[in-house]
Amino acid sequence: MSEAKPMTDEELHDLADKQAALGEVRGTPAPDPVNIPMIRHWLAAMGDENPAYLDKGVAPPAMAQVWTMQGLRTGAKDRSPVDDMMTALNAGGYTGVVATNCEQTYHRYARLGERLTPATRFAGLAGPKKTALGVGYFATWNVTWYAEDDEPVADMLFRVLKFRPPAAKASKEPYPLQPAINQDTAFFWEGVKKGELRIQSCADCGLLRHPPGPLCPHCRSAGRSYTVASGAGTLYSYVVHHHPRVPGRETPFVVGVVELPEGVRIVGNVVDCPLGEVRIGMPLRVTYRPMDDELVLPMWTPGEP
């Protein structure tokens, strides 16, 4: 049996008009009458210590929806004008849902012993609209709870956004060559993830050094800080790697020693440049390339920063 084709925007609005034209559709009366144990549990859960409800034999108005909730019953669920609309939206890929409005109006207290009956009326469909969650439709309906004498006890306007969730981002395979990150180098890799090229500095004499290390080679201080480099560089030296093959990389590729204006040199790949155009002294700027879902590597591309 083939699945139904998703509806077009026009067909969804036509369905919404048909559901609204059904008017108010009554459901099954509440399985239990308004009772003291349920009211007592509600008051405890809400932290409401007002004794008037139990003293007067009435339920808190906000409990209107509680009396007719399906709960864990396994019996057949009431059909309402909302169900076909939600099914059609789900079939169209609008599977995400978030409630946006809930407005209740109370006409009178529900009294002990009364058995309430819900009646649902589909009010309308708006969309498609572009939202922060995705493209979707706003569906609105109204529910009225009636007492056994057909007197309305409470009304509720309820509105949801049914949206199409964005496609899940494919996860990258872990890059086979992972850097050794320790207390000396963690600051550098944290900076790379933020798009910063951090160069270690001595907290006492201010000397910059790379690669990072535990002690200043000038004053032997263990105090460490860092500065953020400008991202500019000049190709000081390079090799073109052909063999052996490197896991996760296609050969040939350029490995360069880049001299920074801050006075240190750093090793990295030169990318986005034909091999025949790589030359000593060429200006470079740093770029950041994600290698997998976690690892980002600084690389160098021709041009000014």
Side-chain angles (χ1 to χ4, degrees):
M1 184 176 178
S2 61
E3 294 184 1
K5 289 178 59 178
M7 290 185 176
T8 64
D9 295 340
E10 183 177 358
E11 289 171 332
L12 286 170
H13 281 286
D14 287 343
L15 176 61
D17 291 340
K18 291 177 182 177
Q19 298 307 100
L22 294 174
E24 195 172 73
V25 178
R26 291 211 176 193
T28 303
D32 300 298
V34 177
N35 61 83
I36 289 176
M38 287 280 284
I39 294 173
R40 185 182 295 116
H41 287 311
W42 169 274
L43 293 174
M46 295 296 122
D48 189 342
E49 299 179 359
N50 189 343
Y53 300 117
L54 294 177
D55 290 346
K56 296 180 179 180
V58 296
M63 282 189 74
Q65 190 177 10
V66 171
W67 304 110
T68 55
M69 283 182 170
Q70 288 292 115
L72 298 178
R73 289 182 295 161
T74 57
K77 178 183 179 296
D78 287 338
R79 296 290 298 176
S80 80
V82 178
D83 295 316
D84 288 344
M85 195 74 250
M86 295 298 105
T87 298
L89 288 168
N90 285 336
Y94 302 99
T95 54
V97 61
V98 60
T100 62
N101 299 74
C102 181
E103 302 170 13
Q104 295 187 347
T105 302
Y106 308 122
H107 302 291
R108 70 164 175 84
Y109 291 108
R111 306 181 187 101
L112 289 178
E114 289 186 317
R115 196 180 295 264
L116 304 186
T117 299
T120 304
R121 176 174 59 83
F122 190 76
L125 186 73
K129 295 181 181 291
K130 186 176 181 180
T131 74
L133 294 173
V135 175
Y137 288 85
F138 290 90
T140 306
W141 61 90
N142 299 91
V143 182
T144 300
W145 286 272
Y146 291 96
E148 291 160 312
D149 58 1
D150 277 349
E151 184 180 6
V153 173
D155 295 317
M156 179 177 70
L157 176 148
F158 199 70
R159 180 176 295 119
V160 299
L161 168 64
K162 290 285 289 177
F163 62 95
R164 183 175 285 146
K169 186 178 178 181
S171 178
K172 291 185 178 181
E173 289 292 324
Y175 187 61
L177 301 177
Q178 295 289 326
I181 300 177
N182 54 40
Q183 62 180 357
D184 294 328
T185 62
F187 80 97
F188 177 83
W189 296 107
E190 289 168 2
V192 168
K193 285 187 175 182
K194 296 180 179 180
E196 297 179 352
L197 188 64
R198 296 176 177 178
I199 306 300
Q200 192 177 67
S201 64
C202 176
D204 290 313
C205 73
L207 181 74
L208 297 183
R209 61 183 185 265
H210 189 85
L215 294 175
C216 175
H218 176 68
C219 71
R220 312 304 293 172
S221 169
R224 290 168 288 181
S225 184
Y226 68 83
T227 187
V228 178
S230 67
T234 302
L235 188 58
Y236 180 81
S237 178
Y238 73 94
V239 297
V240 179
H241 184 95
H242 292 272
H243 299 286
R245 295 187 61 82
V246 176
R249 299 299 306 272
E250 291 185 8
T251 56
F253 57 86
V254 176
V255 180
V257 177
V258 181
E259 190 165 57
L260 307 186
E262 288 78 12
V264 298
R265 296 169 186 163
I266 185 170
V267 176
N269 293 123
V270 178
V271 296
D272 302 333
C273 183
L275 293 180
E277 296 181 13
V278 178
R279 57 181 175 79
I280 301 296
M282 67 187 298
L284 300 171
R285 57 184 174 83
V286 71
T287 183
Y288 301 95
R289 302 291 170 88
M291 308 307 291
D292 56 31
D293 291 340
E294 295 295 329
L295 177 64
V296 176
L297 290 180
M299 297 187 182
W300 297 89
T301 187
E304 302 294 335

